[in-house]
Amino acid sequence: MKKIFLFLLIINLTFAREISFEEALEIAKKNNRNLQIQELTVNQKKLEKNSKVKELLPTIQINSSYEKIENQYEDEKFNNSLKAKQTIFSGGEKYNDVKLAKHNEELEKINLYNEENYLRIKVLESYIQCLYNKEILLVYEKSYEDKEKELERQVEFRNLGLVDKTEVLKLESSLYQTKGKILEAKNNLITGNLALKTLLRIDPREKIQVKELDLKTIQMKDIVLEEDVKNTLKNGVQAKILNKNIDIKESETSKKLSSFFPKVSAEYSYNNINKDKFSGSFSGHQDDWEWRAGISFEWDIFNFGSDIDIYRSSKLDVEKLKLTRDEELDNLRKNMINAYNNIFTLEKSMESNRKAFETSLETYNIEKEKYENRLIDTIDYLKAEEDMMRTKVEYYNSKLNYFLAYEKYMVLRK
């Protein structure tokens, strides 16, 4: 039965799709709905910017109307015109509309990049959980295999009268406990893989296997905290978002300033002269048409200071955003320092866990040999095995956490 199970397991793993972290990330980028929405938003803002630019150009309009007046003459009138209108001066309103639309487009591009960074960490956390679940399962399966062999040996010793029955029962009880932990680990592995597949938006029925992370990709020598902090606070993604929000508010404020100035526009039109049916039929002859040109001037010279109050309020909003930016950048500086320290703490912890695992593994091998020669009892053997398994998992987990901490720092640095 066991051989059949192992055969099915091997077949299952053989046909499973093996993916690396970078491959998983590319799949997520391709299928993630939030990224797709953000890309549409970028395109939308680009169209809005183009629309504002085109509003600086003249508008051309064609009009045609027919009017019939019921009186004793039954007059009929036709009106046709071709008009071109151009804003000459708007107090900077249209210019700031273009500037504002451009800032909004740039902000959404930055948000798209920021969303990709957020997705990277999200995929990595799910990916790491799958690796951890797989490692836990392998540890328990190896333990179960070793205990099965030892149980067979102890049963033989019991039949020969060399060991007490309680020793066999203790080992058998531990074997059943390990079997229960294997079932729990398998369930966690299935759950974790499903979470990753859902995040990647791939078929939940598809079998996947995650590859091990390569810690050699971590380049600690490239990290210089002072330079990283300086560059991030000036050119980092979060700094760009904060500064761009200020640019948007400043453009909105400048647009409100335009209400203090007059609005001037020019209009050119080519109109036909109205004709009724008794004065001659409507025709397209050039004598029936005339050119007209004019300039319109509009200026709100007094509104009890309402526009001034709105402008001043908007300027205060700019000052508030600048203070918020400074506060957020201070927090970013703190987060970068904490992330930097966390990397080195986990690096040292990983080294300590490695030594602890190597020591416990050597101890376990010694205790196992003693147990096989009946020099120690089952309790001592199981205690050594438990310590070895615990330190192995802790060491593996510390490597995963170290990789995650490094990636989080690199995302903060962008």
Side-chain angles (χ1 to χ4, degrees), residues 117-177:
N117 291 335
Y118 171 73
L119 181 63
R120 181 180 184 88
I121 297 302
K122 195 172 180 181
V123 171
L124 180 57
E125 289 175 338
S126 182
Y127 191 93
I128 282 177
Q129 187 61 50
C130 291
L131 285 173
Y132 179 76
N133 292 336
K134 185 174 71 170
E135 179 67 15
I136 290 290
L137 178 59
L138 292 174
V139 167
Y140 283 132
E141 285 180 336
K142 183 64 169 64
S143 173
Y144 187 86
E145 182 182 344
D146 291 343
K147 286 176 183 176
E148 257 194 334
K149 293 178 181 178
E150 286 302 322
L151 182 60
E152 292 176 0
R153 190 193 309 272
Q154 293 301 316
V155 169
E156 291 179 4
F157 288 160
R158 167 59 182 160
N159 293 335
L160 296 173
L162 299 177
V163 297
D164 192 89
K165 184 179 180 179
T166 55
E167 297 299 309
V168 176
L169 292 176
K170 290 174 185 177
L171 188 58
E172 191 173 6
S173 175
S174 178
L175 186 66
Y176 287 133
Q177 290 177 358

Side-chain angles (χ1 to χ4, degrees), residues 7 204 208 296 356 409:
F7 175 76
I208 63 171
S296 63
Y409 178 85

Side-chain angles (χ1 to χ4, degrees), residues 283-325:
S283 72
H285 194 274
Q286 63 179 4
D287 293 336
D288 296 335
W289 292 77
E290 63 182 7
W291 283 100
R292 293 180 183 178
I295 295 178
S296 63
F297 181 91
E298 182 180 349
W299 194 1
D300 294 334
I301 59 175
F302 183 71
N303 60 2
F304 296 95
S306 174
D307 290 342
I308 295 177
D309 290 338
I310 293 174
Y311 172 70
R312 288 174 176 172
S313 176
S314 187
K315 285 190 69 175
L316 293 177
D317 284 337
V318 173
E319 295 303 316
K320 287 163 62 178
L321 282 176
K322 288 181 178 179
L323 291 173
T324 300
R325 176 195 60 189

Side-chain angles (χ1 to χ4, degrees), residues 257-299:
L257 186 63
S258 67
S259 63
F260 299 157
F261 299 96
K263 308 292 187 293
V264 182
S265 61
E267 184 177 302
Y268 311 89
S269 64
Y270 191 46
N271 305 276
N272 78 295
I273 302 171
N274 295 333
K275 296 286 184 178
D276 59 48
K277 69 178 183 178
F278 296 105
S279 60
S281 60
F282 173 77
S283 72
H285 194 274
Q286 63 179 4
D287 293 336
D288 296 335
W289 292 77
E290 63 182 7
W291 283 100
R292 293 180 183 178
I295 295 178
S296 63
F297 181 91
E298 182 180 349
W299 194 1

